[in-house]
């Protein structure tokens, strides 16, 4: 897909497939196996807008690449493997009409319609997504204001600083780990130790939200990253509390 005269990629890819894309287009395949959007976004971003509008079977096929960071396509005489180390970003409405929970507009969807709509995305897929954030309508004052929080450059500086901390942390890693997101369960236990208050908070979150073992590790990885961004050596209770808040969809699915 490189342009003529371009031999190397200098910019991370951003792929935005339409929700009508087939499984082969998204995951890869064909008579002669070709990489799909998941592999074309390798070391970049795969953005899935209107997530529930994708075919459920197609979405379920994303689970294995998210876990293994590669796509395996078996054939009779051989098996093809394409890389898929991606950052998955997905967006969805809270209901079919899009106004459920809106303080100014009335939702016209019935509870059954909302449940059926949310059910198009399976719990196991949501379980593999690290951060769930609800985005409320932006008030006029914030939309037109000059002070809209951190700038992109400030965010970049924080990310670069946190990545440097993680690069040093995993300098001696033998399994290729370079970021908190790719920590193994053993590394999570080693680098995400909690104090007594943190252990109590995590136990309460696991019990009340019914978090899975996978979500348990993801919460700790996110808490470790929040601490890194703040320049803290140890994970504190407020880091863990913020990480737990990023598992909102676990309460609905």
């Amino acid at each position: 897909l490189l342009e003529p005269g371009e031999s190397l990629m200098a910019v991370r890819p951003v792929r935005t497939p339409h929700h009508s894309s087939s499984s082969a287009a998204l995951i890869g395949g064909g008579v002669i196996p070709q990489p799909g959007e998941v592999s074309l976004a390798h070391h970049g971003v795969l953005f899935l807008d209107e997530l529930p509008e994708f075919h459920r079977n197609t979405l379920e096929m994303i689970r294995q690449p998210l876990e293994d960071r590669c796509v395996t396509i078996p054939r009779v005489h051989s098996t093809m493997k394409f890389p898929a180390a991606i950052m998955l970003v997905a967006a969805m409405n809270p209901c079919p009409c899009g106004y459920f929970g809106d303080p100014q507009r009335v939702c016209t969807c019935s509870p059954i319609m909302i449940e059926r709509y949310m059910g198009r995305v399976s719990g196991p897929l949501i379980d593999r997504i690290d951060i769930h954030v609800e985005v409320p309508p932006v008030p006029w004052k914030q939309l037109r204001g000059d002070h809209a929080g951190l700038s992109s450059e400030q965010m970049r500086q924080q990310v670069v600083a946190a990545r440097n901390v993680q690069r040093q942390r995993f300098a001696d890693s033998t399994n290729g780990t370079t970021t908190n997101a790719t920590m193994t369960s053993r590394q999570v236990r080693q680098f995400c130790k909690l104090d007594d208050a943190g252990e109590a908070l995590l136990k309460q979150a696991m019990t009340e939200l019914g978090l899975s073992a996978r979500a348990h590790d993801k919460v700790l990885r996110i808490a470790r990253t929040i601490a890194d961004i703040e320049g803290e050596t140890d994970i504190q209770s407020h880091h863990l509390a913020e990480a737990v808040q990023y598992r909102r969809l676990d309460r609905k699915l």
Side-chain angles (χ1 to χ4, degrees), residues 156-171 178-179 228:
R156 179 182 177 83
Q157 292 174 1
Q158 289 186 350
V159 170
V160 170
R163 281 293 184 101
N164 288 334
V165 170
Q166 295 169 40
R167 192 173 294 111
Q168 295 175 9
R169 175 180 297 133
F170 302 116
T178 57
T179 62
D228 290 344

Side-chain angles (χ1 to χ4, degrees), residues 23-225:
S23 299
L26 193 63
I27 307 301
V31 178
I32 301 176
Q34 298 291 324
E37 294 290 342
V38 172
S39 295
L40 295 176
H42 182 57
H43 286 322
V45 174
L46 177 67
F47 177 54
L48 303 182
D49 196 14
E50 300 293 348
L51 186 65
E53 300 299 333
F54 283 82
H55 294 292
R56 185 182 175 106
N57 291 339
T58 300
L59 291 180
E60 292 304 295
M61 296 178 71
I62 299 178
R63 289 161 50 181
Q64 179 259 334
L66 288 178
E67 198 78 14
D68 300 336
R69 302 174 72 82
C70 67
V71 175
T72 303
I73 302 176
R75 289 294 182 264
V76 176
H77 299 294
S78 63
T79 299
M80 299 291 291
K81 182 175 289 187
F82 297 112
I86 64 171
M87 179 182 291
L88 174 65
V89 181
M92 60 186 292
N93 289 316
C95 66
C97 76
Y99 298 129
F100 179 68
D102 192 308
Q104 297 181 340
R105 300 192 181 188
V106 178
C107 174
T108 59
C109 305
S110 66
I112 295 178
M113 291 173 62
I114 297 175
E115 183 178 354
R116 186 181 298 117
Y117 181 78
M118 295 293 290
R120 294 180 183 177
V121 184
S122 70
L125 176 59
I126 290 296
D127 204 29
R128 286 168 169 79
I129 299 177
D130 294 6
I131 299 176
H132 315 153
V133 179
E134 292 185 3
V135 183
V138 181
W140 167 259
K141 185 177 181 180
Q142 294 184 15
L143 190 63
R144 298 295 297 169
D146 295 330
H147 304 287
L150 293 177
S151 66
S152 295
E153 181 57 33
Q154 290 172 318
M155 291 182 184
R156 179 182 177 83
Q157 292 174 1
Q158 289 186 350
V159 170
V160 170
R163 281 293 184 101
N164 288 334
V165 170
Q166 295 169 40
R167 192 173 294 111
Q168 295 175 9
R169 175 180 297 133
F170 302 116
D172 298 329
S173 174
T174 58
N175 63 351
T177 300
T178 57
T179 62
N180 293 337
T182 56
M183 278 193 290
T184 64
S185 295
R186 179 174 296 180
Q187 289 172 324
V188 168
R189 291 192 295 270
Q190 179 182 355
F191 296 112
C192 301
K193 297 184 184 298
L194 304 176
D195 56 17
D196 292 341
E199 289 286 354
L201 178 59
L202 184 58
K203 179 181 179 181
Q204 181 182 3
M206 291 288 294
T207 303
E208 294 184 0
L209 301 180
L211 299 181
S212 65
R214 183 181 288 108
H216 166 275
D217 285 358
K218 288 187 179 298
V219 166
L220 290 176
R221 293 188 185 106
I222 294 297
R224 177 67 270 171
T225 301

Side-chain angles (χ1 to χ4, degrees), residues 6-17:
E6 184 181 3
S7 58
L8 294 173
M9 293 183 65
V11 179
R12 293 182 182 273
V14 177
R15 307 293 299 185
T16 58

